[in-house]
Amino acid sequence: MEGSSLLMLIYVFVLATFVGVELINKVPPTLHTPLMSGSNAISGITIIGSLIAAGLGEITASSIMGFVAVVFAMINVVGGYLVTDRMLRMFKKK
Amino acid sequence: MENFKELLINCTYLIASFLFIFGIKRMSSPATAKNGNLVSGIGMLLAILVTLLDRHILSYELIILGLVIGSAIGAVLAYKVEMTAMPQMVGLLNGFGGGASALVGMAEYYNTSLHGFPDDGGKFLVSVGLSLLIGAVTFTGSLIAFGKLQGLVTGKVVKLPGQNPIVVLLILSILGLVGFGMADPGNLIYFELVVFLSLVLGVLLVMPIGGADMPVAISLLNSYSGLAGAATGFVIDNNMLIIAGALVGASGIILTNIMCKAMNRSIMNVLLGGWANTAESGSGDTDKKDLVVKSVDTEEAAMLFSGASKVVIVPGYGMAVSQAQHAVKDLMNVLEKNGTEVRFAIHPVAGRMPGHMNILLAESNVPYDKLFALEEINDDFKNADISLVIGANDVVNPAARNNPQSTIYGMPILNVDYSKTVIVVKRSMNAGYAGIENELFYMDNTLMYFGDAKDAVTKLVNELKSMNS
């Protein structure tokens, strides 16, 4: 994907937002907390960018920031998915 | 080889995006939600693994160290946190997500500045500016929200003199700085100032939000953390980040909207600390002084419950504060043993985050098919023999229906006052978050059962058990 794709990226953003709205509107109120923590974990996807920044090879301001970003994003990802799983395991039907 | 790797990476990103969407789709029912979370987690794992093959990555030391530290902290947090503290936990996680996005934006910016900006530098720099702004605001805003929920920062509305003009000025300055940074890309100071001012802005935006308005703040910050991720996707030209970020952004906005509707307030009113300013003004409470409050003791309350055939329990933040969810579940058991039908009515803004009451009751093993949302159960209160209100206040205040002068007029409430008897478990007659009197407490069919929620419900359970034996 090279630079000229700005419009493509915006397309993707707009369409994904529509998909998100359609899907989230169907989530029942009883699952709103796990929905939040679970979607929170998804927003940890920014880990992709931080991995590349942390792996630049030399120790620079960028790689240090990348390292901190890996830690932050990983807390977000691991903490988010695990706590969501912990909550959802508690939901039982009679 | 390199081409094949690139193709593999991009295909895996496509699969991961699909898994995120499919995972959220499975969140539409409690029966499939656990599986949905797993599916989404697998998408994340695939995305992380395949990224490690990226040709830009030259060394793995920092990566591995970061992955290990982050995973360990995340796992400990996830297993240690109490269900009552879930709002803080989600607040904190939002903050880390936003912080990571801002850091990636800054790292990419520094790194690009070393190698020269691309020809279409405008798109890159605007994206960097957005990811810094949204990410940094999410980071400090979430830390303040966490502090407020944890009791480290006051839950009161805190405003600077001239708060609103200052916020507007800050936002304009940030946008201006992004403009300067674009006009003079070699000069890093502009974007560094963007980060600094955005961090300040995050603090200023959340400080005026009162404790009970936190469901809105947390939902909104959740949305920001997604948007920050999407902005980072624009920075590094990655569709998967944009898709994931947009999904989370949409989710947060929808929840924010639901919370605001449930309080009959606009998002601006909440963000600007609306209620706290108007709370004391004219709700015409003067004649309340002559009204009588009827209270019951444990024995009388137990008698009433043993004669009831339909009971609706309405939990609120007070149940979370006193950790009464297990006692409440015991009460449900003992009542059901008597042949009484027990259901729960949950107001959308009960507690400190969307769905807060539901996870507490799930924790104490109340089946989720006994939990009903406002619109599902509101017409049924008139058939209830007893409505038991535990630590809820404003969400059951009939003034929202029939007193146009009241600050909460128009807010959808649970119509507990329509049931034959209302029993309110409450520590004292103090007003709720909105700072207004609750006329429910003075009604003919209302009985106050004073005490801490957990103590009071436990006593009630014991009394009912001894009556049965």
Side-chain angles (χ1 to χ4, degrees), chain B residues 228-269:
Chain B
T232 309
F234 280 90
V235 174
I236 62 171
D237 267 336
N238 186 313
N239 278 324
M240 177 184 57
L241 255 72
I242 295 175
I243 292 173
L247 291 174
V248 181
S251 161
I253 283 292
I254 289 174
L255 291 173
T256 306
N257 205 6
I258 294 174
M259 296 297 110
C260 285
K261 268 195 194 141
M263 295 193 289
N264 190 35
R265 294 164 65 197
S266 70
I267 175 77
M268 286 319 282
N269 179 287

Side-chain angles (χ1 to χ4, degrees), chain B residues 185 246 287 294 337:
Chain B
D287 50 344
K294 287 181 287 187
K337 212 174 270 176

Side-chain angles (χ1 to χ4, degrees), chain A:
Chain A
M1 260 177 287
E2 290 309 320
S4 63
S5 60
L6 174 62
L7 205 58
M8 272 313 288
L9 297 180
I10 295 175
Y11 264 111
V12 170
F13 179 76
V14 172
L15 292 177
T17 304
F18 271 103
V19 172
V21 170
E22 286 302 313
L23 289 179
I24 308 293
N25 270 326
K26 297 204 174 74
V27 177
T30 199
L31 289 178
H32 278 168
T33 296
L35 169 68
M36 271 191 134
S37 57
S39 63
N40 212 312
I42 295 179
S43 75
I45 189 64
T46 188
I47 182 100
I48 299 313
S50 51
L51 288 173
I52 293 171
L56 289 170
E58 38 201 315
I59 301 291
T60 58
S62 291
S63 66
I64 298 290
M65 283 192 224
F67 164 72
V68 180
V70 171
V71 175
F72 277 16
M74 214 49 196
I75 295 176
N76 198 192
V77 167
V78 174
Y81 280 117
L82 288 183
V83 85
T84 307
D85 185 64
R86 205 181 128 204
M87 276 188 269
L88 290 172
R89 276 175 198 284
M90 302 183 317
F91 280 85
K92 290 188 193 84
K93 207 168 176 160
K94 182 127 202 200

Side-chain angles (χ1 to χ4, degrees), chain A residues 28-40 80 83-84 87 91, chain B residues 81-94 145-146 149 210-223 251-252 255-256 258-260 262-263 315-320 346-360 395:
Chain A
T30 199
L31 289 178
H32 278 168
T33 296
L35 169 68
M36 271 191 134
S37 57
S39 63
N40 212 312
V83 85
T84 307
M87 276 188 269
F91 280 85
Chain B
V81 64
E82 297 267 357
M83 285 301 143
T84 42
M86 205 48 79
Q88 292 92 303
M89 171 79 174
V90 171
L92 201 59
L93 291 178
N94 279 334
F146 168 79
L149 290 161
D213 282 341
M214 277 300 142
V216 179
I218 296 278
S219 308
L220 200 61
L221 288 165
N222 190 40
S223 176
S251 161
L255 291 173
T256 306
I258 294 174
M259 296 297 110
C260 285
M263 295 193 289
Y317 184 55
M319 182 183 84
I346 312 229
H347 194 280
V349 294
R352 287 293 185 264
M353 75 180 297
H356 193 189
M357 296 296 115
N358 305 72
I359 51 160
L360 292 182
V395 299

Side-chain angles (χ1 to χ4, degrees), chain B residues 1-336:
Chain B
M1 188 60 200
E2 280 305 318
N3 278 343
F4 172 72
K5 249 201 225 169
E6 196 134 307
L7 184 67
L8 175 71
I9 292 177
N10 284 326
C11 287
T12 310
Y13 284 172
L14 177 65
I15 295 171
S17 307
F18 169 77
L19 293 176
F20 291 146
I21 294 175
F22 189 65
I24 292 187
K25 185 171 165 48
R26 303 221 81 191
M27 280 276 191
S28 60
S29 147
T32 55
K34 190 162 73 73
N35 176 267
N37 187 51
L38 185 68
V39 165
S40 153
I42 291 172
M44 182 65 72
L45 184 66
L46 288 177
I48 292 174
L49 288 179
V50 82
T51 302
L52 296 175
L53 300 175
D54 192 289
R55 67 190 161 84
H56 296 100
I57 296 183
L58 302 173
S59 76
Y60 288 88
E61 290 88 352
L62 285 178
I63 291 180
I64 293 172
L65 191 64
L67 289 176
V68 170
I69 296 176
S71 306
I73 298 176
V76 169
L77 281 177
Y79 284 111
K80 290 275 176 197
V81 64
E82 297 267 357
M83 285 301 143
T84 42
M86 205 48 79
Q88 292 92 303
M89 171 79 174
V90 171
L92 201 59
L93 291 178
N94 279 334
F96 285 126
S101 293
L103 282 164
V104 173
M106 206 59 195
E108 281 291 320
Y109 176 67
Y110 278 144
N111 195 41
T112 311
S113 75
L114 295 179
H115 303 109
F117 291 97
D119 294 340
D120 67 334
K123 174 229 155 201
F124 174 76
L125 291 170
V126 169
S127 311
V128 168
L130 278 178
S131 77
L132 296 179
L133 167 63
I134 309 174
V137 164
T138 310
F139 182 62
T140 49
S142 298
L143 290 185
I144 297 292
F146 168 79
K148 284 194 172 222
L149 290 161
Q150 187 74 26
L152 303 171
V153 178
T154 172
K156 292 207 183 82
V157 172
V158 179
K159 282 188 184 179
L160 294 175
Q163 163 96 11
N164 297 347
I166 292 178
V167 166
V168 171
L169 199 66
L170 260 180
I171 296 174
L172 291 178
S173 311
I174 292 169
L175 296 179
L177 283 165
V178 172
F180 281 123
M182 287 170 66
D184 183 8
N187 204 338
L188 306 183
I189 185 72
Y190 296 117
F191 278 99
E192 287 161 353
L193 280 173
V194 166
V195 175
F196 175 73
L197 291 185
S198 303
L199 291 171
V200 175
L201 180 63
V203 175
L204 289 186
L205 286 178
V206 178
M207 283 308 282
I209 303 178
D213 282 341
M214 277 300 142
V216 179
I218 296 278
S219 308
L220 200 61
L221 288 165
N222 190 40
S223 176
Y224 290 171
S225 78
L227 295 178
T232 309
F234 280 90
V235 174
I236 62 171
D237 267 336
N238 186 313
N239 278 324
M240 177 184 57
L241 255 72
I242 295 175
I243 292 173
L247 291 174
V248 181
S251 161
I253 283 292
I254 289 174
L255 291 173
T256 306
N257 205 6
I258 294 174
M259 296 297 110
C260 285
K261 268 195 194 141
M263 295 193 289
N264 190 35
R265 294 164 65 197
S266 70
I267 175 77
M268 286 319 282
N269 179 287
V270 175
L271 295 183
L272 301 177
W275 257 358
N277 305 325
T278 50
E280 299 307 324
S281 65
S283 45
D285 291 335
T286 38
D287 50 344
K288 291 276 160 57
K289 300 283 178 281
D290 314 327
L291 295 172
V292 219
V293 172
K294 287 181 287 187
S295 69
V296 279
D297 59 21
T298 308
E299 210 171 314
E300 291 164 319
M303 289 295 288
L304 286 166
F305 274 104
S306 68
S309 62
K310 280 176 190 257
V311 170
V312 180
I313 299 178
V314 180
Y317 184 55
M319 182 183 84
V321 172
S322 100
Q323 303 259 13
Q325 66 270 30
H326 300 286
V328 170
K329 150 84 174 162
D330 292 342
L331 178 65
M332 179 189 90
N333 284 348
V334 71
L335 288 174
E336 286 187 337

